Amino acid sequence: MKHYSAVIFDWDGTVMDSTHSIVSAIQMACADVSLPVPSARDAAWVIGLSLESALYRCVPTLTAEQLPLFLERYRHHFLSRDTQIKLFDGIPELITTLRSRAITLGVATGKSRVGLNRVLASTQLHEHFDITRCADESFSKPHPGMLLEIMEARALRPEQVLMVGDTTHDIQMALAAGVDCMAVTYGAHDKPTLVKAQPTVMVSSVPEMQAWLLDRV
């Protein structure tokens, strides 16, 4: 059985139950700026991408002139729900257990650095992660840049690393970086979509994730 010495997590939809809040914020911002409102499925598809990549796909008619107002309205709607967004049940305990086994823990996320730092502080998980990378300081998924930078910084070989995420963007990033990927089916992308991307393994819950991981770290 293969064993890993590093586990890198996506954030939204994997660690934190924020998918619905992101989708709603995108939809309400579009309505505020009088743009076509994307379906929940289309809005969820872009979760995990950098903001620029997400808007290009989800709101293709957004103009440069409309962008500042759109971003202000998106942040308003998202932050208005901020205190209601929670970690998935079992995530704090899993992170603590992995940490106790001296596993390198990281985050590779489409969030901005400011956004990630804010949620790491509010969830009191900042001390548990050895290294984090955000889309506004590296390449957006599915480019492997964030994972490659993490591996270089921590002197990790691809075979030592497992990426955990809820979207095909995470799977494609992992494949491009040469690392294994666990796909979780409780986040932004549904199971049939994830299956097509061919992750190393799929799990449907945090307890299932923990059982699989603890046999391999």
Side-chain angles (χ1 to χ4, degrees):
M1 184 183 294
K2 188 171 183 178
H3 282 70
Y4 303 98
S5 55
V7 181
I8 313 301
F9 291 91
D10 168 59
W11 192 266
D12 291 306
T14 301
V15 170
M16 181 163 270
D17 190 7
S18 48
T19 298
H20 178 71
S21 295
I22 295 171
V23 167
S24 295
I26 290 172
Q27 292 176 320
M28 288 188 285
C30 286
D32 290 347
V33 187
S34 300
L35 289 166
V37 177
S39 67
R41 181 183 178 86
D42 285 346
W45 190 90
V46 304
I47 293 174
L49 299 177
S50 68
L51 185 59
E52 180 180 351
S53 298
L55 294 180
Y56 178 77
R57 165 68 186 252
C58 193
V59 196
T61 57
L62 180 68
T63 66
E65 291 74 21
Q66 294 171 308
L67 180 60
L69 177 59
F70 180 92
L71 294 178
E72 186 276 324
R73 298 313 298 161
Y74 171 81
R75 292 184 179 114
H76 167 79
H77 292 302
F78 183 77
L79 293 174
S80 69
R81 297 168 174 244
D82 194 43
T83 58
Q84 304 169 34
I85 305 173
K86 305 298 182 185
L87 298 170
F88 285 106
D89 289 344
I91 284 292
E93 294 80 6
L94 172 59
I95 297 298
T96 300
T97 300
L98 291 173
R99 189 69 173 171
S100 72
R101 297 193 179 192
I103 301 302
T104 296
L105 296 179
V107 175
T109 177
K111 298 181 82 66
S112 67
R113 171 52 61 188
V114 169
L116 180 62
N117 285 349
R118 178 174 53 81
V119 293
L120 284 173
S122 67
T123 58
Q124 300 182 331
L125 289 180
H126 56 287
E127 294 182 354
H128 291 288
F129 289 102
D130 302 288
I131 186 166
T132 61
R133 285 293 184 275
C134 300
D136 64 347
E137 61 193 13
S138 184
F139 293 93
S140 175
K141 301 172 186 179
H143 191 284
M146 285 190 280
L147 285 179
L148 295 176
E149 289 172 11
I150 287 172
M151 288 190 289
E152 181 178 5
R154 303 297 299 185
L156 293 163
R157 301 186 305 276
E159 63 270 20
Q160 295 177 293
V161 179
L162 179 73
M163 175 69 201
V164 181
D166 68 313
T167 69
T168 56
H169 317 310
D170 298 304
I171 300 169
Q172 291 165 1
M173 175 178 66
L175 291 173
V179 310
D180 287 351
C181 181
M182 171 187 283
V184 302
T185 63
Y186 54 75
H189 289 188
D190 59 27
K191 185 174 181 178
T193 301
L194 294 169
V195 167
K196 292 178 183 177
Q198 299 183 322
T200 307
V201 63
M202 294 179 61
V203 298
S204 60
S205 67
V206 175
E208 189 178 348
M209 181 199 303
Q210 175 164 317
W212 195 92
L213 279 175
L214 295 187
D215 281 339
R216 293 166 174 82
V217 296

